Structure formats: structure tokens, C-alpha cells
Amino acid sequence: MNGKVTTTRTKLERGRSALGPALELVHTGRAPTRAVLTSELGVTRATAGAVAAELEALGLIRVDSSPGSAAGSQGRPSHRLAVRESGPVAVAAQVHADGFRAALVGLGGRLVATAPGCVTVTADPAQVIGEVVDDCARLLRDSGLRCVGAGLAVPSAVAEPEGTALNPLHIAWPAGAPVREIFATCVREAGIAGPAFTGNDVNLAALAEHRHGAGRGAQHLLCVATGHRGVGGALVLDGRLHSGSSGLALEVGHLTVNPEGRPCHCGGRGCLDVETDPLAFLTAAGRAPGPEESLLKQSGDLLRNEYNDVAVRTAAEELIDRLGLGLAGLVNILNPDRIILGGLHRALLDADPERLRAVVADRSLWGRSGSVPILPCTLDHNSLVGAAELAWQPVLDDPLGALA
């Protein structure tokens, strides 16, 4: 009798230990059916069915036990698995040089609701973060959905373990601002349930793209992106962000690509940060930035709508060459199996993909033989989705424990 009880308990524990991996497979779209889930987990059909049923009972996924058969297919179709649209959400927020945005994000990286905030970021991080959390709380109240936690993306390296914004160069916050502590306090005071997390915006964009976008399937993913100002980079290795010993890895914006170029905020000269960002493009094209729209939107619109203008095309080629030089150096150091580009860099890739790929191939050691794929980011608001991923991670690690 004791042996049977032990066996039953062991099976139950194995099933529960599979809940997190199973949820992550559905969350990332890698297990669209119960048959695939069974194969990916390496368990029996009965165990996979029990795990899926438990996740459904927790309100996280939806199991379709009677899917239609595809034309010409044989046999009984497998149960289809999908995230539950009315399930819990994570609160996500992003602060950038031209404002902030709040969002609710469900499993699968699905944006449930968004709310753009102000267009002016003041020098007081507590005021700005308080305002964006107020917007988050308003979205959450209006939705009536359960919250698992909150994540914040900021345009700065975030030092670990203290969670301070080390170098917010393009917003007027003081260096060392305790953004994680401020965010956690605001989240708690707003009555938002769950833990609070903070990270660098490009790191979080890379995480989101790796799980739900252009980086899916990559083992060594390099992401380089322009925000509203400046340039950031991130590296995802086997599904996890590589943030270095103290959270400061991949500050690619301060690679020198033009030794005689513009002075950089870091004290150097000719860095990617000031040679390939939206302001650099507008300046090179001879266009004065306007006050009515973000620099990112102005530069993107100019590139898409006036690329045939000689000055615009010349400016784009100049930035592409400098971006390619920086990417080639990163390829030589990091040997990624995929590169994804966001912000203005994505638009530059779209404008002349062959030129950018040729520059990278010509200047990287393995470029001609290895031909690293260079792709555009595909997710809207990927930094917001990545911020939500931080809040979802405890649930992915232990669904029962996190939701209890």
C-alpha cells in the first residue's frame, strides 16, 4: 500500500514539476498541440494531458479537445493548446526620452491594452515612474483582469543587484537613480499585485523578440537598436539575457565607429550612440528636428517617405556604413547566430539590406563564410513586452507557487 502511495505521489510531483516547462512551451508558441507538448516534455500522453488540464484550471491556457481536422489528414487530431485570452496579465511600463507608455501584457506576449503617457520626461524619476504606474493601475482597473506582477523598461544600464539606473544619458535623471526601488514602491502603493522588476529597454526588447518575435529559435541572439535617442545592444544566450557580472554588458552604443566623429555623452567621440541614432540621421540629412513628434518617428518617416532625395539617401548610406562597421566588430567578438535590429536601425535595414549585409560581411572575420542572418525586429512595443516577461518569469518557473 505504501509503495502505491509513493508511486502516486511521485507521478504527481513529476507532473507538477512539468507545469513550468509546459507553460513556457505554450507561452512561446512551441507547443501548439498536446501531441507536441508530450514530445517536447518527454512524458507520457497521460502526463501531458494532466499538465495541460492543470494549467487550464489555473486559468492560464485553453485546451481545445475537439479541433477540426485538416483536409486530407488521417487520424484523430491532437488537442490544441493556446494561452487564455481572459487570463491574468502583467503590468508593463516603458520610459524613454520622449515620454512613457503603460501596458497590460498577457501570456504569449499579447498586448491586451496600452496607454501612451506624457511627451516630457522630467528630471525627477519618482514623479515620472509614479505617473506611469498610475496609468498602469488605471488600465488594470478597467480590464478587471488578475495581475501577476509588473515590469519597467528604462533607457539606461541597470546595475545589479541594487537596481539603479547607472547612466540615463538621454533623460535628465541623476546617475544612480534607484529606479527599481522607486518602481516597486509605486507599484505597491497603487495596489498592483505581484513582484516588480526593472531592466534596460534594449535588453528587454531582445528578450521579447527571442521568445515571441524575430529571435525565436536563435541560440546566440544579438540585438542592436536605436531608441528615441542613442543606441543599445543585448545578447540572449540559450533563452537568457547575458547581462554580465553587474548588469552592464553589451553597452554597444559606445563602440567607436568614427574616430573623428561627433562628441559622445560618454566622453568619447564617434560612438554608435551619436553616429547612428535618429538625431544623427536627421542632422546628416540636413533636416532640423521638429518639436511636435519624437525623433524616432521623424527619422523613420523621412527614411520611408523621402529616400529618393539625394541628401536623405546619402545620410542613410553613411549611417548604414557606420552601423555595419559596429556590427562587424560585435560579430568578431560574440559570434552570434542571428542579429536583429530595432528602431531606426530596422528602417535602415529595410531601406538597403544588401549594403548593410555587405559591410558586415566585408569587415567581420567570418562574414563571407558564415553569413550571419541580419533581420528586423518584428514585435510592436517589444520593450514593453520584454518588461512583462520579467513579471511573467516567476509564473513560468512555478505556476502553482506564483499564483497561490
Side-chain angles (χ1 to χ4, degrees):
M1 184 69 174
N2 287 341
K4 181 178 288 187
V5 171
T6 301
T7 301
T8 302
R9 184 180 298 118
T10 300
K11 287 182 177 178
L12 181 61
E13 289 172 352
R14 285 176 181 170
R16 286 184 172 175
S17 70
L19 285 176
L23 181 60
E24 183 165 342
L25 287 167
V26 178
H27 173 60
T28 56
R30 290 179 290 154
T33 67
R34 198 173 70 181
V36 176
L37 183 68
T38 302
S39 175
E40 289 288 333
L41 291 177
V43 298
T44 65
R45 288 178 57 191
T47 298
V51 167
E54 183 73 22
L55 292 175
E56 186 174 37
L58 289 170
L60 296 170
I61 72 169
R62 180 168 45 82
V63 180
D64 184 356
S65 59
S66 56
S69 299
S73 64
Q74 297 181 354
R76 182 180 178 183
S78 179
H79 293 33
R80 295 202 64 81
L81 308 177
V83 299
R84 182 176 290 278
E85 293 184 357
S86 59
V89 294
V91 160
Q94 180 183 9
V95 177
H96 52 75
D98 293 305
F100 59 71
R101 184 178 291 269
L104 304 180
V105 184
L107 279 169
R110 182 176 58 90
L111 284 165
V112 175
T114 63
C118 70
V119 294
T120 302
V121 175
T122 70
D124 182 358
Q127 177 188 344
V128 176
I129 293 173
E131 289 178 2
V132 72
V133 169
D134 286 345
D135 279 5
C136 289
R138 192 174 305 113
L139 287 176
L140 192 59
R141 285 195 302 272
D142 291 345
S143 74
L145 297 172
R146 181 178 182 180
C147 180
V148 300
L152 171 68
V154 294
S156 168
V158 178
E160 299 293 349
E162 57 271 30
T164 57
L166 192 64
N167 62 337
L169 297 178
H170 302 292
I171 52 179
W173 293 357
V179 291
R180 183 173 300 153
E181 179 183 337
I182 294 170
F183 183 59
T185 299
C186 290
V187 165
R188 184 173 60 252
E189 291 178 349
I192 297 173
F197 304 88
T198 307
N200 168 262
D201 52 4
V202 179
N203 276 357
L204 299 182
L207 180 62
E209 293 284 346
H210 186 267
R211 292 184 175 180
H212 308 293
R216 286 174 63 174
Q219 293 298 307
H220 299 81
L221 177 69
L222 171 64
C223 175
V224 177
T226 53
H228 292 251
R229 289 291 307 276
V231 176
L235 185 66
V236 180
L237 302 177
D238 295 323
R240 296 194 175 275
L241 283 169
H242 173 70
S243 55
S245 62
S246 56
L248 309 179
L250 271 292
E251 282 291 306
V252 304
H254 302 293
L255 287 175
T256 300
V257 292
N258 181 16
E260 305 302 320
R262 300 175 178 88
C264 182
H265 309 278
C266 71
R269 181 177 288 275
C271 299
L272 272 177
D273 211 52
V274 291
E275 295 290 337
T276 66
D277 81 337
L279 181 59
F281 177 61
L282 292 170
T283 302
R287 306 300 174 92
E292 67 283 353
E293 293 177 329
S294 75
L295 296 176
L296 183 60
K297 186 176 188 308
Q298 291 178 61
S299 59
D301 288 346
L302 180 63
L303 189 57
R304 284 184 291 269
N305 300 331
E306 300 185 44
Y307 189 65
N308 291 329
D309 181 278
V310 173
V312 173
R313 182 185 292 270
T314 300
E317 291 175 348
E318 179 181 303
L319 263 70
I320 287 171
D321 290 348
R322 290 175 182 164
L323 173 60
L325 181 61
L327 293 178
L330 292 168
V331 167
N332 291 339
I333 296 169
L334 301 173
N335 189 212
D337 60 0
R338 192 180 309 173
I339 298 171
I340 57 174
L341 302 179
L344 178 62
H345 292 170
R346 171 182 171 173
L348 289 169
L349 174 64
D350 291 341
D352 198 340
E354 295 309 315
R355 185 184 186 97
L356 179 59
R357 291 176 178 132
V359 174
V360 175
D362 186 58
R363 298 301 295 266
S364 58
L365 294 174
W366 318 117
R368 294 194 181 282
S369 59
S371 187
V372 182
I374 304 175
L375 305 174
C377 291
T378 57
L379 298 179
D380 293 331
H381 307 303
N382 50 19
S383 292
L384 278 172
V385 175
E389 289 296 315
L390 296 180
W392 274 113
Q393 192 60 52
V395 181
L396 297 175
D397 291 338
D398 181 10
L400 277 175
L403 295 180

